[in-house]
Amino acid sequence: MYFQHLLLQIFHKFGGERSVSAGFHLLKGKRSGQTIQDVGNFNLHAFFGLTPKLSKEKYLDQAEQLVGKGYATYKDEQFFILTNAGREKANGSKMMQFNGWYYRGNEHIFFKRLSLVIQSLSYSVQEVKSFAPIQKNEDIQLWVKHYLVKNNYKSNAFIQTIRDEISDSLKGLPVEESSLNLLLYRLTGFNTPGWTWEQLAREQESTLLDVQLAFLEVLHAWLDALYKGPKYYLSQLAEGIRIEQLLTESAQKTANLFHQGYTLEQISAIRRLKGSTIEDHLVEMAMSLQEFPLEQFVAQQDVEAIVYAVQQMNSKKLKVLRDSMPELSYFQIRLILAAKGVM
Amino acid sequence: MANLEQLLEQHFGYSTFRPGQKEVIEAIIEKRDVVALLPTGMGKSLCYQLPGYVFNRPVLIISPLLSLMQDQVEQLKRFGEKRVIALNSFLQMSEKRNVLQHLGQYRFIFTSPEMLKNSQVQAAFRQAQFALVVVDEAHCISQWGFDFRPDYLKITDWMDAVNRPPILALSATATEAVVKDIKAYLHMSQPFEYIHSVDRVNLHYDVVQLEKPIEKAPWILAHVLKTHGPGIVYTQSRKKTAIYTERLLSNGIRAAAYHAGMEAEDRQFIQQQFLAGQLEWICATNAFGMGVHKDNVRQIIHDHIPSTVANYMQEVGRAGRDGQDALSILLYVQKDEDMTKFIITEDIPQERHVEQYLEYTGREENPAVMLDMHQISETGFRVLSYWMQRLAPQEVQQKLVDIRLSKVSQVDEMKTMVTAQKCIREQLLHYFGQSLNEKPNQCCHYCGIEYGVILKEREHLETLGYMPSWGERLSVLLPNI
């Protein structure tokens, strides 16, 4: 059910202008020009890369179920579009708290640190010195060791404060109680083993995919909250988790040259890449960088005209927009859509 | 030299040795090669851990499984040992280099057979002057052993033939043929041998013959509802672990599945729950058991014919480590052995694989392309390329036929033990080249066995259902002290 809500929200934003596969690529976090552009054009940052391991069969099966329930349908074979009932359902359901674009899997590093910290403290308060660490990754182990020593983990003040920080910050999150339970039951400690996904799904009468997504939502909401209102000990665990480097590697190289003052043609020649690829990179930059100099490429009144046209025609299809503004190139329209993503 | 008992007390907190440990350790200190066969749970690892504190040079331990290595490293750390390192593929290049340059600062160095193929590793090891080289799970060396690993045959290649440290070969289960292989492949010179009896007097063996495969699941459920755990049901597929678990759970039994396809954290949670007594039954593939130290397992059920008698021994040996009575039940339906044969021979390369291999080398292409083309499994390719580099193609063909026949005949041995009208205990001992001194009561299904005498009745436990809220759980994890 949870996953189907997610699909409704995604295709509500797509507004019937993309195929069913576009949602799949988005959830997988595909790093192609098209998917990255979709994220910007349709303001889908929240859902990017939430389920990197999802299989296409499972995805299509869930989409098919939406069709079966009368919430969605296929238009001209290639577009996946919500019905009125589907739109109502999407509008009526609670906003999901995902923030995939900024975490991209790093949220799991945060959780691994947390789980080893809690396990260590749980044994330490019982004065049990040795235990088999739940996290086997040596980088995580070293990180946590350093963290614990730095924060004088044996002091009562530390344990009390971190417990209060966890409790206070979780209480304020706009997520279900059952999702907070998932989080705490994935933690393990002295005489208190964690629960497997199977056990949690069974307990909550849910599916594996749904409990894992609900867990992910808590992590994202929690991290967002910790970045907004830092907590002394918890926020340290979130260090370096949020992605500051938002461009793909190749787009970053293009951006560096662009900032040095090279023209698109020069960059294309230097990097031995096609002009269209460099244009893709610029679109990616327009989408991700707040200080992108859009005015170097289009006049201010053209930007406003496109924004107006999108609202009038209720479409972000390039072909439609181009027909209404034939003097602009596709590249210029794409730049505007990318830079003005939230419309 | 320090008194061995003192060292035992000082570093491990035990006051006495278990049978065999002291003899083995003394032989090691005299710089002799040693073959030690000690049943699981009898403190095999101590045989090299304690000498580590006698010598002032590092001990090298070659271990075939990464998970096992991890377990042993953690065990030593728990005893407060800091100078221990696992030199394996998980380490980064720079870390590896650093470890290799400072081998002398460690007391215990664990490594895998794969690492020993690396020429830099070999060079560093030759320089290191180890006090002792330990080959753990040494039965893996033998092609008669149940885990034949070609890489294991080469683990002594780096050593000087004359001027080398003594070798300790450890195993829980090895037949005479395997011991012979171990000595030959490791070039051991007149080793001291300590062979503990494989008999476990508190284990009782039953075989239950059923008519059809579909009778197994209901039989298991009915049995589990009546008798006391904790126990392990061993089955052959991941799917079956889920089917059995579901059946037990829906009948109010605390059960969980376990197999290698699960997430690492989930696997640990299951182990922790089992150890903490929260689970009555684990339905598992043979991936479960290594590194799980639970003393009070009361029952083991096999729903299939294990691939070798040694495997069977190892799996039933996880019951009754506390010395109390424990029961092993094997459910048998005619022709069950065929499924086992199919599974264990699946990965053995076939005639056509040898031909394909030759085609690639003939075109001067890397035969590993076979893996990319999904023409052969990874295990299969490992075996194939090992022999292709050593034997002529015809001989390889013959070798593969031999391996296949040997594996099949080991399944038949297991099947015979189950179906023969003979005492199972006697047959088990005979298999390992030992003989039986005394038969316990309730010995086996042939000698007569009654569950009521061995096992207590099941006590009803609440199912795992109740889930305190997240806030309560937080205060259980981090209580006010």
Side-chain angles (χ1 to χ4, degrees), chain A residues 122 130 132-136 163 177 180-181 184-188 192-197 199 202-203, chain B residues 74 78 246 249 263 265-266 268-270 272-273 278 464-465 467-470 473 476-480:
Chain A
S122 171
S130 69
I134 185 72
Q135 301 302 337
K136 303 294 178 197
R163 189 181 53 209
E177 282 286 298
L180 294 177
N181 285 346
L184 265 290
Y185 279 83
R186 288 301 292 179
L187 295 173
T188 199
T192 318
W195 288 26
T196 66
W197 294 117
Q199 289 171 329
R202 194 181 173 85
E203 175 61 26
Chain B
E74 277 170 16
R78 251 172 279 156
E246 182 53 42
L249 277 172
E263 269 184 33
E265 278 172 38
D266 278 1
Q268 290 188 75
F269 290 160
I270 295 297
Q272 291 169 354
Q273 291 173 8
Q278 296 179 352
L464 210 52
M467 193 175 184
S469 75
W470 65 269
R473 187 168 167 94
V476 173
L477 286 166
L478 302 180
N480 267 318

Side-chain angles (χ1 to χ4, degrees), chain B residues 230-355:
Chain B
I232 307 167
V233 179
Y234 276 112
T235 185
Q236 284 172 307
S237 72
R238 295 174 183 184
K239 204 173 146 200
K240 272 201 186 152
T241 65
I243 292 172
Y244 288 147
T245 302
E246 182 53 42
R247 200 158 180 140
L248 297 186
L249 277 172
S250 56
N251 280 279
I253 291 159
R254 291 187 187 181
Y258 186 102
H259 56 74
M262 289 163 48
E263 269 184 33
E265 278 172 38
D266 278 1
R267 275 183 284 159
Q268 290 188 75
F269 290 160
I270 295 297
Q271 292 189 10
Q272 291 169 354
Q273 291 173 8
F274 195 49
L275 284 176
Q278 296 179 352
L279 290 171
E280 298 169 76
W281 285 85
I282 304 268
C283 305
T285 61
N286 59 9
F288 184 75
M290 196 87 74
V292 180
H293 310 291
K294 185 175 172 70
D295 288 341
N296 66 340
V297 176
R298 293 271 73 83
Q299 301 196 53
I300 307 284
I301 298 178
H302 283 90
D303 76 337
H304 64 281
I305 293 279
S307 53
T308 67
V309 175
N311 269 356
Y312 173 74
M313 270 302 277
Q314 197 167 45
E315 283 162 7
V316 299
R318 295 189 177 124
R321 299 238 181 116
D322 55 5
Q324 306 289 313
D325 281 331
L327 175 65
S328 148
I329 300 171
L330 189 145
L331 301 181
Y332 179 70
V333 172
Q334 254 188 18
K335 303 256 185 250
D336 269 357
E337 61 275 12
D338 292 350
M339 181 46 115
T340 307
K341 286 176 188 171
F342 172 76
I343 293 173
I344 56 159
T345 54
E346 222 177 353
D347 279 336
I348 300 175
Q350 315 223 356
E351 225 180 300
R352 64 184 159 86
H353 291 130
V354 176
E355 284 155 17

